[in-house]
């Protein structure tokens, strides 16, 4: 096969190097690789610049600095992996620039959604980074946001023109790229799709304990991939999990609870249950519902670019409608207390510095509340896992909290089967007003469940281990590793003396052949959706074996979250977990 790797973001080494490992594995199976870099075509602004904190309105010298890093990394990969193929900039000419400028001049904030070129929905696709970077949940653009859109639009138009020529010349059998949602990448995906060329995306694994040591390799894009996984759940949810798969889930969860990763939003747990109940004004005997909200901008961006459906029939069209319904319900049920947890992404955090438009609205809406309703703002710096200790039921929109709390055995209630990126049958679901609040009452009555832990572990084992390719033998990088002061000093000195030492070292020290090499080739050769479609060779695992291993993992969770104290109250969350682990 001839496989085209669209790789214009080489400055992000943690993406570019694993991508090159996959390409090398394919060459070792006799496939021909066409490696397409940028060469400077996207110099106005690109994903690499965003990753380095260089904004669209930054000084040109700062952008050029990222371009130099990108070109150097690309040259290292081309030489050390012996990749050949064109750069985008080598295939553009003055007529392309003129064409792009004419399109941009005719594109306005009132007609951009209808911009389609060669069958590709360019006007929509270009929205992705603009919406995410500004945390927008509407299409009303400020002059600065519209200028940013126009810069991205020009890059997208030029990319489409050039990639069409490259497709014509090389006629690839498959197309691969890293993250199929970046706007220029999605342009290439749609161009390939219209030609009937299967397109695959790569992405760092979801397991935060070893995120960049693992890779997703799948058809489509992240959103469609999750829908594919959920569709497969019914056929595999009754299969007991291996010890290593369960352990991988615990590793991820413990990393999340530490609050160290930029991809984890909650702080590390701290403080006593009594202090927390007092902070939220929870009276003795009250049962606690925690409503976990989600950020709108990621979903809105996915909907606008056509990666997520927009025609879902929802009980609550807006999260504020759902929250208001919960407030009214709890206000008339004084035996209940409601904590409304606003998603940390809505506010400035470790990854983004902007306050979302939705957060601004919430600050106005969530005022003058009943006595038994309190708001947990991100600025409170309270861990989700501390809140879990005092919560009886979680009411969830589409946050990943819905599966994480299930791992602790806590019940979760949803108002839609279609919003979450995990199977809704892991939670309670109510799709009418009466059914929803009946499910809330049912969840309160059912309470904590050890079997719920099992089912959530089985799903998370798929997400955090089974669907990922392990490339640690060639890229054993740990994102959140705590380094000693001498090590940090040495690394800084090395970066000063030899700025690209790490890149050369990674290339020199990679395995001669990845252990997952055959799997990579089989996925491409057989047009599989992902590694989950490969034949499994696991030895038979009994339910009894799984239960014993699950108890061990719950013991690890207890120690990681709560320490080694053995005197936990029996009716507390940790007491229930401990009873299960020791039974």
């Amino acid at each position: 096969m001839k496989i085209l790797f669209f790789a214009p973001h080489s400055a992000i080494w943690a993406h570019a190097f694993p991508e090159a490992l996959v390409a090398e594995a394919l060459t070792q199976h006799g496939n021909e690789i066409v490696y397409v870099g940028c060469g400077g075509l996207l110099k106005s602004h690109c994903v690499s610049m965003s990753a380095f904190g260089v904004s669209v309105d930054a000084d040109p010298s700062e952008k050029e600095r990222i371009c130099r890093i990108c070109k150097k990394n690309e040259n290292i990969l081309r030489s050390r992996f012996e990749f050949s193929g064109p750069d985008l900039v080598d295939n553009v000419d003055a007529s392309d620039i003129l064409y792009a400028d004419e399109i941009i001049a005719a594109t306005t904030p009132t007609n951009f959604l209808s911009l389609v070129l060669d069958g590709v929905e360019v006007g929509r696709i270009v929205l992705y980074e603009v919406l995410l970077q500004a945390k927008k949940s509407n299409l009303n653009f400020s002059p600065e946001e519209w200028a940013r859109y126009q810069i991205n639009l020009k890059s997208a138009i030029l990319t489409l023109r050039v990639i069409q020529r490259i497709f014509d010349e090389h006629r690839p059998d498959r197309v691969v790229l890293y993250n199929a949602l970046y706007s220029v990448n999605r342009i290439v995906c749609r161009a390939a799709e219209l030609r009937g060329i299967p397109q695959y995306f790569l992405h760092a694994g979801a397991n935060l304990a070893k995120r960049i040591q693992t890779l997703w390799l799948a058809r489509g894009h992240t959103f469609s991939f999750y829908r594919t996984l959920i569709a497969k759940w019914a056929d595999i949810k009754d299969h007991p999990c291996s010890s290593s798969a369960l352990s991988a889930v615990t590793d991820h969860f413990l990393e999340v609870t530490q609050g160290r990763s930029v991809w984890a939003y909650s702080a590390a747990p701290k403080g006593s249950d009594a202090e927390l109940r007092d902070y939220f004004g929870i009276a003795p005997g009250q049962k606690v519902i925690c409503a976990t909200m989600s950020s709108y901008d990621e979903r809105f961006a996915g909907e606008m670019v056509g990666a997520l459906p927009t025609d879902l029939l929802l009980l609550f069209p807006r999260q504020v409608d759902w929250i208001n319904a919960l407030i009214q319900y709890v206000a008339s049920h004084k035996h209940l207390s409601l904590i409304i947890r606003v998603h940390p992404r809505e506010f400035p955090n470790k990854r983004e510095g902007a306050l979302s438009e939705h957060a601004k609205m919430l600050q106005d809406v969530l005022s003058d509340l009943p006595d038994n309703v309190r708001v947990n703002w991100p600025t409170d710096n309270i861990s989700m896992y501390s809140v879990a200790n005092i919560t009886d039921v979680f009411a969830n929109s589409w946050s990943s909290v819905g599966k994480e709390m299930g791992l602790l055995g806590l019940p979760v209630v949803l108002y839609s089967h279609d919003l979450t990126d995990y199977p809704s049958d892991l939670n309670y679901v109510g799709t009418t007003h009466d059914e929803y609040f009946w499910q809330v009452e049912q969840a309160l009555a059912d309470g904590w469940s050890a079997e719920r832990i099992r089912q959530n572990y089985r799903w998370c084992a798929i997400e955090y281990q089974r669907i990922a390719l392990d490339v640690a033998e060639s890229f054993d990088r740990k994102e959140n590793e705590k380094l000693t002061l001498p090590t940090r000093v040495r690394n800084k000195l090395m970066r000063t003396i030899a700025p690209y030492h790490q890149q050369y070292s990674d290339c020199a020290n990679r395995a001669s052949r990845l252990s997952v090499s055959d799997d990579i080739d089989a996925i491409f050769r057989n047009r599989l959706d992902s590694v989950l479609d490969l034949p499994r060779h696991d030895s038979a695992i009994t339910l009894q074996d799984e239960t014993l291993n699950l108890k061990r993992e719950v013991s690890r969770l207890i120690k990681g979250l709560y320490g080694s104290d053995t005197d936990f109250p029996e009716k507390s969350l940790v007491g229930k977990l401990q009873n299960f682990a020791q039974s």
Side-chain angles (χ1 to χ4, degrees):
M1 292 181 294
K2 181 181 287 189
I3 304 174
L4 187 147
F5 275 71
F6 182 69
H9 305 120
S10 298
I12 311 174
W13 187 254
H15 297 180
F17 182 68
E19 180 179 54
L21 294 174
V22 172
E24 182 176 53
L26 290 166
T27 64
Q28 292 171 342
H29 282 83
N31 300 296
E32 179 185 350
I33 299 300
V34 179
Y35 193 79
V36 179
C38 170
L41 184 67
L42 310 178
K43 63 183 179 181
S44 295
H45 197 256
C46 68
V47 167
S48 292
M49 294 174 193
S50 294
F52 278 79
V54 176
S55 66
V56 69
D57 54 357
D59 189 274
S61 63
E62 274 297 286
K63 296 180 181 180
E64 177 55 32
R65 180 177 66 86
I66 306 306
C67 282
R68 288 196 300 271
I69 294 172
C70 203
K71 291 172 184 176
K72 180 62 176 180
N73 284 354
E74 181 189 336
N75 288 338
I76 292 172
L77 292 171
R78 284 186 181 276
S79 63
R80 296 306 170 102
F81 286 84
E82 299 182 357
F83 292 151
S84 61
D87 278 336
L88 293 174
V89 76
D90 299 332
N91 288 269
V92 72
D93 57 34
S95 66
D96 296 319
I97 305 295
L98 179 61
Y99 172 77
D101 288 341
E102 289 174 347
I103 295 293
I104 292 168
T107 303
T108 70
T110 59
N111 69 10
F112 71 96
L113 285 179
S114 62
L115 177 60
V116 177
L117 303 175
D118 297 331
V120 177
E121 305 85 349
V122 175
R124 285 186 171 274
I125 290 172
V126 172
L127 282 169
Y128 192 70
E129 286 97 325
V130 177
L131 295 178
L132 287 183
Q133 289 163 4
K135 294 187 180 179
K136 293 186 70 65
S137 52
N138 63 60
L139 298 180
N140 299 320
F141 296 112
S142 68
E144 294 78 15
E145 289 165 348
W146 182 248
R148 183 182 306 169
Y149 177 88
Q150 290 177 310
I151 288 173
N152 288 0
L153 179 58
K154 187 166 187 175
S155 294
I157 295 170
L158 294 175
T159 297
L160 178 59
R161 295 271 285 193
V162 171
I163 203 65
Q164 299 278 30
R165 293 185 193 124
I166 293 174
F167 283 169
D168 287 340
E169 179 181 353
H170 293 278
R171 300 188 178 278
D173 300 297
R174 307 284 187 271
V175 170
V176 193
L177 38 74
Y178 198 103
N179 192 334
L181 293 171
Y182 296 154
S183 56
V184 293
N185 289 5
R186 188 153 171 77
I187 290 290
V188 173
C189 292
R190 287 291 290 127
E193 183 181 0
L194 291 170
R195 290 172 178 246
I197 306 171
Q199 167 265 312
Y200 287 81
F201 79 94
L202 294 165
H203 200 285
N207 189 330
L208 294 187
K210 50 181 180 180
R211 196 181 76 89
I212 59 176
Q213 298 162 281
T214 57
L215 272 178
W216 284 1
L217 168 59
R219 294 285 294 269
H221 50 73
T222 309
F223 292 127
S224 64
F225 182 42
Y226 268 111
R227 292 197 293 271
T228 299
L229 292 181
I230 291 171
K232 296 178 187 295
W233 171 240
D235 295 330
I236 56 182
K237 66 180 181 180
D238 294 327
H239 297 174
C241 281
S242 68
S243 173
S244 63
L246 296 175
S247 180
V249 175
T250 306
D251 291 343
H252 165 80
F253 191 74
L254 290 177
E255 184 59 46
V256 170
T257 62
Q258 294 307 304
R260 298 180 301 188
S261 172
V262 298
W263 307 99
Y265 291 103
S266 182
K270 60 183 178 182
S272 70
D273 293 359
E275 290 171 333
L276 209 56
R277 293 181 72 90
D278 182 64
Y279 182 85
F280 288 115
I282 302 168
Q286 281 185 323
K287 288 198 170 184
V288 178
I289 300 172
C290 179
T292 49
M293 303 189 72
S294 296
S295 57
Y296 261 116
D297 58 308
E298 291 176 305
R299 181 162 193 90
F300 182 69
E303 291 173 346
M304 289 299 96
V305 303
L308 282 173
T310 59
D311 57 351
L312 299 179
L313 296 177
L314 300 177
L315 170 59
F316 302 109
R318 304 176 304 165
Q319 284 188 94
V320 70
D321 302 322
W322 164 60
I323 290 298
N324 280 331
L326 281 169
I327 291 171
Q328 291 174 19
Y329 180 79
V330 171
S332 62
H333 292 74
K334 296 302 183 181
H335 68 288
L336 298 176
S337 179
L338 175 64
I339 300 172
I340 302 168
R341 185 173 172 89
V342 177
H343 196 283
R345 181 177 156 78
E346 303 275 28
F347 282 68
N349 55 72
K350 289 175 285 189
R351 285 173 57 198
E352 306 98 0
L355 179 71
S356 77
E357 294 173 340
H358 187 231
K360 297 172 187 175
M361 181 190 72
L362 291 176
Q363 288 174 324
D364 294 330
V365 170
L366 298 178
S367 60
D368 192 23
L369 297 171
D371 291 341
N372 58 341
V373 178
R374 298 292 178 89
V375 181
N376 176 199
W377 298 103
T379 49
D380 295 339
N381 199 33
I382 296 175
S383 169
M384 169 59 68
Y385 311 100
S386 295
V387 175
N389 295 342
I390 63 170
T391 297
D392 296 283
V393 167
F394 278 87
N396 188 34
S397 51
W398 57 87
S399 169
S400 60
V401 166
K403 61 192 174 190
E404 292 170 1
M405 295 303 104
L407 288 172
L408 297 176
L410 291 167
V412 180
V413 185
L414 305 173
Y415 59 82
S416 171
H417 288 283
D418 303 313
L419 286 174
T420 57
D421 61 4
Y422 60 85
S424 63
D425 66 2
L426 294 175
N427 299 160
Y428 298 76
V429 185
T431 57
T432 67
H433 187 276
D434 290 344
E435 182 190 23
Y436 180 78
F437 287 103
W438 183 89
Q439 293 284 16
V440 169
E441 291 291 349
Q442 187 64 50
L444 285 166
D446 291 346
W448 183 91
S449 166
E451 189 57 31
R452 190 175 294 122
I453 297 175
R454 185 192 306 277
Q455 288 302 312
N456 279 272
Y457 255 92
R458 286 182 181 177
W459 166 258
C460 289
I462 296 171
E463 185 177 358
Y464 300 137
Q465 193 214 48
R466 283 187 56 190
I467 61 173
L469 297 164
D470 194 325
V471 296
E473 62 206 302
S474 288
F475 196 57
D476 192 17
R477 194 73 53 80
K478 296 178 177 62
E479 283 186 304
N480 305 309
E481 185 178 15
K482 287 187 176 180
L483 301 177
T484 63
L485 178 60
T487 300
R488 294 199 301 271
V489 172
R490 184 194 65 197
N491 290 350
K492 184 175 182 180
L493 180 62
M494 185 60 71
R495 287 194 296 270
T496 302
I497 298 172
Y500 295 92
H501 166 77
Q502 188 64 63
Q503 287 88 326
Y504 284 114
S505 176
D506 286 339
C507 291
N509 295 322
R510 71 187 190 272
S512 59
R513 189 181 184 92
L514 291 175
S515 59
V516 293
S517 175
D518 291 346
D519 290 343
I520 291 171
D521 182 66
I523 290 170
F524 282 96
R525 193 167 300 280
N526 298 313
R527 295 192 179 198
L528 304 181
D529 284 334
S530 72
V531 67
L532 206 59
D533 294 321
L534 293 168
R536 294 189 63 186
H537 304 292
D538 294 348
S539 57
I541 302 164
T542 67
L543 186 64
Q544 183 179 17
D545 289 338
E546 182 188 53
T547 301
L548 290 173
N549 291 328
L550 198 56
K551 290 180 177 182
R552 185 194 65 235
E553 296 308 318
V554 170
S555 293
R556 288 182 61 206
L557 283 180
I558 294 170
K559 184 175 180 180
L561 280 171
Y562 308 106
S564 56
D565 187 353
T566 57
D567 188 23
F568 297 112
E570 186 175 353
K571 291 185 178 181
S572 67
L573 172 61
V574 62
K576 294 170 184 174
L577 291 168
Q578 189 176 61
N579 287 340
F580 168 69
Q582 295 177 354
S583 64

